[in-house]
């Protein structure tokens, strides 16, 4: 059982480039989330989804887009990368809203924008 | 809105020392409470949880008790090991908005 898988693990982007961070889960979880983690700042929610075809903004959605065409996949798109998007990105999933069992996290993507 | 406050860090302890990491919360309704651990270079892992008042969550020698009267969920371990060096996050969920609310995390370093 792989859990939540994120690719790539590391990436360096130039300012203005775009990329997609991939996230897939094999637990048949309805809910999926994208967070960014900056040093000393904890986790900030970017976007989340409560099921296929449904997405919503979190605290810091600007500069990002998501889609949820299947239950398994929840890719995060960065358009026109900026240095402020240098961060570690985590994808997570949960069966319900997280109240009973919390979230399962992926191992993260470390992104540097130069 | 919901919020989680963790004590300021970092924390440095010697091996076999007693550990307490404070966590208090503000929430509407009756939240579930969680502690997550993040080892260097890895994602967050659920360490323990409690879903109602007076519940005690425990795992790997760590414990935390859900105290509704003091709105707290402090993490404790009687004897820390070097392998416990990590970042620890307290979190809550009310389930109403489909999201966990995290504290800022605290870095624990255990020296031999």
């Amino acid at each position: 059982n792989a859990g939540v898988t994120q690719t790539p693990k590391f990436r360096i982007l130039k300012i203005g480039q775009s990329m997609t961070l991939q996230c897939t889960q094999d637990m048949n979880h309805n809910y999926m989330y994208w967070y960014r983690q900056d040093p000393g700042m904890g986790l900030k929610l970017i976007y989340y989804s409560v099921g296929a075809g449904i997405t919503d903004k979190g605290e810091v959605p600007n500069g990002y887009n998501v889609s949820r065409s299947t239950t398994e996949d929840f890719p995060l798109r960065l358009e026109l990368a900026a240095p402020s998007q240098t961060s570690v990105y985590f994808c997570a999933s949960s069966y319900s809203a997280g109240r009973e069992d919390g979230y399962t996290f992926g191992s993260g993507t470390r992104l540097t924008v130069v | 809105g919901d919020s989680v406050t963790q004590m300021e860090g970092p924390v440095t302890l010697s091996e076999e020392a007693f550990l307490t990491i404070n966590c208090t919360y503000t929430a509407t309704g009756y939240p579930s409470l969680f502690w997550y651990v993040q080892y260097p270079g890895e994602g967050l892992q659920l360490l323990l949880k409690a879903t109602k008042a007076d519940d005690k969550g425990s795992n790997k020698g760590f414990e935390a008790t859900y105290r509704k009267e003091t709105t707290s969920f402090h993490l404790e371990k009687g004897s820390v090991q070097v392998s416990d060096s990590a970042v620890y996050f307290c979190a809550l969920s009310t389930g109403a908005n489909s999201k966990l609310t995290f504290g800022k995390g605290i870095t624990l370093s255990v020296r031999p």
Side-chain angles (χ1 to χ4, degrees):
Chain A
N1 194 346
V4 177
T5 302
Q6 291 185 239
T7 57
K9 292 190 181 301
F10 303 94
R11 183 72 186 268
I12 298 174
L13 278 183
K14 293 184 178 179
I15 294 171
Q17 288 185 322
S18 61
M19 75 165 293
T20 299
L21 282 66
Q22 302 291 345
C23 175
T24 186
Q25 51 92 8
D26 61 359
M27 298 171 285
N28 201 32
H29 283 173
N30 293 319
Y31 295 75
M32 297 187 75
Y33 313 84
W34 274 106
Y35 286 89
R36 60 178 287 171
Q37 183 181 32
D38 301 308
M41 300 300 292
L43 295 165
K44 301 285 188 184
L45 182 66
I46 305 171
Y47 271 95
Y48 68 103
S49 169
V50 301
I54 306 170
T55 62
D56 207 348
K57 295 177 181 179
E59 301 173 74
V60 290
N62 291 343
Y64 307 94
N65 277 299
V66 294
S67 59
R68 184 95 183 271
S69 57
T70 67
T71 299
E72 295 79 17
D73 300 308
F74 191 41
L76 177 72
R77 178 83 176 163
L78 278 71
E79 305 282 2
L80 296 175
S84 61
Q85 293 178 305
T86 294
S87 188
V88 182
Y89 292 85
F90 289 101
C91 180
S93 71
S94 62
Y95 181 71
S96 62
R99 182 176 174 82
E100 289 299 320
D101 296 312
Y103 296 173
T104 300
F105 281 83
S107 58
T109 295
R110 185 174 294 275
L111 176 68
T112 302
V113 181
V114 296
Chain B
D2 300 341
S3 67
V4 175
T5 302
Q6 292 185 232
M7 61 185 280
E8 294 289 325
V11 173
T12 302
L13 295 173
S14 297
E15 203 165 25
E16 299 184 0
F18 184 84
L19 169 72
T20 299
I21 300 177
N22 290 341
C23 172
T24 57
Y25 67 89
T26 302
T28 53
Y30 301 98
S32 295
L33 300 172
F34 305 87
W35 276 102
Y36 281 83
V37 59
Q38 183 182 28
Y39 298 105
E42 299 183 10
L44 280 72
Q45 303 173 24
L46 181 63
L47 180 60
L48 53 83
K49 67 177 182 180
T51 57
K52 61 182 187 294
D54 300 325
D55 270 1
K56 177 184 285 187
S58 61
N59 187 22
K60 298 182 180 180
F62 291 89
E63 293 183 339
T65 301
Y66 188 144
R67 301 287 188 198
K68 184 172 175 236
E69 62 277 12
T70 55
T71 62
S72 64
F73 193 54
H74 304 323
L75 183 68
E76 295 182 337
K77 187 173 185 182
S79 176
V80 294
Q81 305 301 310
V82 172
S83 57
D84 293 326
S85 298
V87 181
Y88 292 82
F89 292 91
C90 185
L92 70 82
S93 172
T94 59
N97 58 4
S98 308
K99 297 185 287 291
L100 282 181
T101 299
F102 288 89
K104 290 190 174 182
I106 185 169
T107 299
L108 170 66
S109 297
V110 180
R111 54 177 181 243

